[in-house]
Amino acid sequence: MIRVLIFLLLLAAAALGISWVTNHPGDISLTWQGYNIETSVAVAAGIVAVIALALALVFGGLGYLWNMPSRLSERAKRRRTEKGYAALSRGMIAVGAGDAQLARKSATEANRHLEREPLTLLLGAQAAQLSGDRAAAEAAFNKLTAEPATRLLGLRGLHIEAQRRGDQAAALHFAEEAHKLAPLSWSTKAVLDHRAAQGQWDNALAVLDRQISAKLIDKATGERQRAIIETAQAQEKEAEGEWEQALVLARKAVNRAPDLVPANVTMARILARRGELRKAAKVVETAWDRQPHPDLADVYLDLRPGDSNADRLAKARALAKIRPSDPESHVIVARAALAARDFAATREAMAPLIGEDERPTQRMCLIMAELEDRDTGDEGKVREWLARSARAPRDAVWMADRIAASKWAPISPATGRLDAFVWQQPTEQLGAPIEPESWIAHAETSPRLVAPESPAQAPATTASETPAEPEIIPPPKVETVARGNGAAPGQKVIFPMPAAPDDPGAEDETDEAENSSRVGFR
C-alpha cells in the first residue's frame, strides 16, 4: 500500500513538472566549438532525462557485472545450506525411525554442506550410537564440548556413553562437570545416584539439597529420597553399633516418610535392642496400620527373643487385629500358630485365603502343605498343595529394575538408582513353552529374576551381554521319610541345583547343593 502511494505521488510530481514547463515556454541557445544549438525548454528537459536514464542503465549494468561473482557465490552457499538442512532433517527422522544407514548417509551429507553447525555433530553422534560405533559417538560429543553453547549437550552424551561401557568413574566426572555449569535434572540425578551407589551418603544429601533448592524435583519426592538416605545411614550406624546415631537417623526417616517400611523396621529393631519394647511395638503397630508387611511382622514377633511359641502366637493375633481383613494378617497368625503346633488355629487363619473363590500364593500353599504334613500326615494332600504352589501366583518381593531381592536396599543393584526398590508381585508371563532357539529373544522381554543376598552382589546387565542358553532344571522331588516313635511319615522336598557343564567339580558341587536344598517338614 505504501509503495502504491509513493508511486502516485511521484506520478503527480512529474505531471506538475510537465504542466509547469508547458505553461512557461522559452528557448535555450547553446554555442560550443563553433556549433550553435537552439531548442525549447521542453525539448532540452526531455534530452537531459534521456541522457540520465541511459547513464543509469549503463552504470547499473556495470554494477551488476561487477557483483555477479559474489551473487553467484551467495546463491551457491544458500543452495548448500538448503541441502544441508534438508539432509539434517532426513537424518533426524532416520534416527527416530531406527534407520542407521540413512542416518549415517544424511549425517555425512549434512556435515559436508553445513559448516560449524552443532546439529550436524549431534546427528553424527546419534547415527554412530545407532550403528554401535561408540568411538565415533564419543568423538562427536567431544567436539560438542569444545563450544560453550553445546558443552552441556556434549557432556550429557559422554555421560551416557560412559554408562554404557560401564565406566562409572568417567560417567560421574561428566555429570559433575555438567552439574558445575548448570544444575540440570539429569546431571543432579546422576551425581546423586553415583554418590548413593558409592555409599557417600553425606555428599548425596548435599546434592539432594541443591536439587530441591533448584526446584528440579517436587518437595514430596525430595523428602522421600532424603528418608531413603537417612534409612541407609541408620542401617550402617546400627551395623557399627552406634545405636544413638542410628536411632536419630531412623526417627528422621520415619517422620519424613511414614509409609517407608524399612525405616520403621530399622527404628523398631533399634528400640528393641535398647530395651524400649513398648515404643518398638508402637512403631510397628502404627506402620502395620498403614501397610501390612512381612518385615514388620518379623520384627514384631522378635521384639523379645526369649518368647515361647505361644507368646509369639498371642503377639501375632494382637498385630492382626489392627488390620484383620488383610491377607498378611492371616498369614502371620497361621505361621505363628503352626510354630506353636496349634493346627486348628492355623486352619482357621488360612481358611479365608484358600476358599474356592480365592487364589492362594506360593507361600500360602507351602503353609498348607506343612500343615497337612504335621497335622494329618496325609501324603496326598501334601502333594496336592505342593503341586498348587508350583502354579500359584508369586508372593510380593522387593523389586528394582526387574530384579527380585529378599531384602530391601536403598539403591538398585543393577543401575545404582536411588529409591528403586518397591514391594510388589513379580510379573507373571503366560504363554506356550519356549524353544531353545527363541530363548534369547524371549529373555529380553521376560528375564529370569535373581534374588541376591545383597545389592552389591547383583551386577548390572549391560547391553553388550549375550544371554546364555537356557538351563533345563528338573522339577522338585517329593520323598517320604519314616519317623521314629510311631509318628506318621513326613515329606521331604528335593530341589535339584544345576551345575556348570565345564566345571570339573560340578558333580561334587551339585551333590552338596542338593543336600543343602532339602526342605523337610517336622
Side-chain angles (χ1 to χ4, degrees):
M1 186 64 183
I2 296 178
R3 293 182 179 180
V4 174
L5 292 177
I6 294 175
F7 174 75
L8 293 176
L9 290 176
L10 293 176
L11 187 60
L16 289 175
I18 294 173
S19 177
W20 186 85
V21 171
T22 303
N23 293 331
H24 298 79
D27 295 329
I28 294 178
S29 177
L30 176 63
T31 302
W32 184 64
Q33 294 293 329
Y35 295 95
N36 186 20
I37 302 174
E38 292 183 358
T39 183
S40 63
V41 174
V43 175
I47 294 174
V48 171
V50 171
I51 294 175
L53 180 60
L55 291 175
L57 291 174
V58 171
F59 282 106
L62 292 176
Y64 180 79
L65 294 176
W66 179 264
N67 295 324
M68 183 175 291
S70 61
R71 290 176 181 272
L72 294 176
S73 177
E74 289 293 332
R75 184 177 179 182
K77 184 178 180 180
R78 186 166 57 252
R79 291 183 61 185
R80 287 197 305 270
T81 303
E82 291 175 354
K83 290 182 179 180
Y85 280 112
L88 190 62
S89 178
R90 287 196 305 272
M92 290 296 182
I93 295 174
V95 169
D99 191 344
Q101 183 177 1
L102 180 59
R104 290 197 306 269
K105 181 179 178 181
S106 300
T108 303
E109 184 179 356
N111 191 39
R112 185 173 66 252
H113 292 305
L114 298 177
E115 298 178 359
R116 300 185 63 83
E117 174 58 53
L119 288 178
T120 60
L121 296 175
L122 177 60
L123 176 59
Q126 291 181 335
Q129 286 178 329
L130 194 61
S131 304
D133 190 352
R134 304 301 181 196
E138 290 187 14
F141 285 127
N142 276 317
K143 291 181 180 179
L144 286 173
T145 58
E147 297 293 334
T150 58
R151 181 169 175 77
L152 283 173
L153 178 60
L155 288 173
R156 184 174 189 184
L158 292 174
H159 170 75
I160 294 175
E161 289 300 319
Q163 282 186 321
R164 288 178 175 174
R165 68 172 181 268
D167 191 348
Q168 299 300 328
L172 177 60
H173 168 72
F174 295 129
E176 287 180 337
E177 289 296 320
H179 186 64
K180 293 177 183 178
L181 296 177
L184 299 176
S185 176
W186 71 269
S187 60
T188 53
K189 184 179 183 304
V191 174
L192 177 62
D193 290 343
H194 280 296
R195 296 306 184 195
Q198 295 172 358
Q200 301 177 4
W201 304 117
D202 293 334
N203 293 336
L205 281 176
V207 175
L208 182 60
D209 289 337
R210 290 197 296 269
Q211 197 173 16
I212 296 174
S213 61
K215 297 182 179 180
L216 298 177
I217 58 175
D218 58 272
K219 185 177 180 180
T221 303
E223 288 295 311
R224 178 170 178 82
Q225 291 185 352
R226 189 188 296 274
I228 295 291
I229 295 175
E230 290 171 345
T231 302
Q233 289 178 312
Q235 291 178 345
E236 287 188 356
K237 296 297 182 182
E238 180 188 9
E240 296 171 359
E242 301 179 7
W243 311 114
E244 296 297 331
Q245 297 183 24
L247 181 59
V248 171
L249 291 168
R251 184 174 285 114
K252 288 182 178 180
V254 171
N255 292 334
R256 296 182 191 279
D259 60 339
L260 185 59
V261 172
N264 288 277
V265 170
T266 303
M267 182 177 175
R269 188 168 56 242
I270 296 173
L271 288 172
R273 290 182 178 180
R274 288 164 51 94
E276 302 178 22
L277 300 183
R278 290 187 177 180
K279 291 183 178 180
K282 184 63 176 177
V283 170
V284 175
E285 290 168 358
T286 304
W288 187 270
D289 191 21
R290 295 191 186 96
Q291 180 186 358
H293 196 280
D295 293 349
L296 293 172
D298 291 340
V299 72
Y300 190 78
L301 298 182
D302 294 336
L303 289 179
R304 187 181 291 106
D307 285 347
S308 64
N309 288 333
D311 294 333
R312 291 169 62 87
L313 176 57
K315 290 196 296 185
R317 285 171 172 167
L319 185 62
K321 288 181 180 179
I322 300 175
R323 293 285 292 272
S325 60
D326 193 276
E328 198 62 42
S329 298
H330 293 275
V331 170
I332 63 166
V333 172
R335 288 172 53 197
L338 192 60
R341 302 190 67 81
D342 190 344
F343 302 132
T346 305
R347 292 187 185 277
E348 181 182 357
M350 292 299 296
L353 305 180
I354 60 174
E356 295 181 359
D357 298 334
E358 301 295 333
R359 192 182 180 196
T361 63
Q362 293 178 348
R363 182 174 49 154
M364 299 174 188
C365 294
L366 292 177
I367 290 176
M368 290 303 301
E370 185 173 359
L371 173 62
E372 295 295 344
D373 178 71
R374 291 189 178 188
D375 186 17
T376 65
D378 190 336
E379 181 179 349
K381 291 183 178 181
V382 173
R383 289 177 177 273
E384 177 185 354
W385 282 110
L386 289 176
R388 290 185 63 176
S389 69
R391 303 187 302 269
R394 298 178 181 178
D395 292 276
V397 292
W398 289 111
M399 296 287 297
D401 297 321
R402 305 181 73 177
I403 294 178
S406 59
K407 294 183 180 180
W408 175 86
I411 61 174
S412 168
T415 62
R417 181 166 56 92
L418 186 66
D419 192 17
F421 276 98
V422 294
W423 183 256
Q424 65 181 21
Q425 283 185 313
T427 304
E428 295 186 39
Q429 299 289 342
L430 301 179
I434 305 171
E435 298 297 331
E437 56 269 20
S438 62
W439 181 84
I440 295 179
H442 178 77
E444 298 176 358
T445 57
S446 58
R448 184 176 181 180
L449 295 175
V450 181
E453 295 182 0
S454 63
Q457 297 178 1
T461 302
T462 60
S464 60
E465 295 179 355
T466 302
E469 289 296 325
E471 297 175 302
I472 301 177
I473 304 177
K477 303 178 182 178
V478 180
E479 296 181 357
T480 303
V481 180
R483 295 176 175 175
N485 298 327
Q491 299 292 327
K492 181 167 58 179
V493 185
I494 303 175
F495 296 93
M497 302 294 290
D502 298 333
D503 190 354
E507 184 176 356
D508 297 337
E509 294 178 1
T510 302
D511 295 339
E512 181 180 355
E514 180 177 328
N515 293 332
S516 64
S517 64
R518 297 176 184 265
V519 179
F521 297 125
R522 296 182 297 173

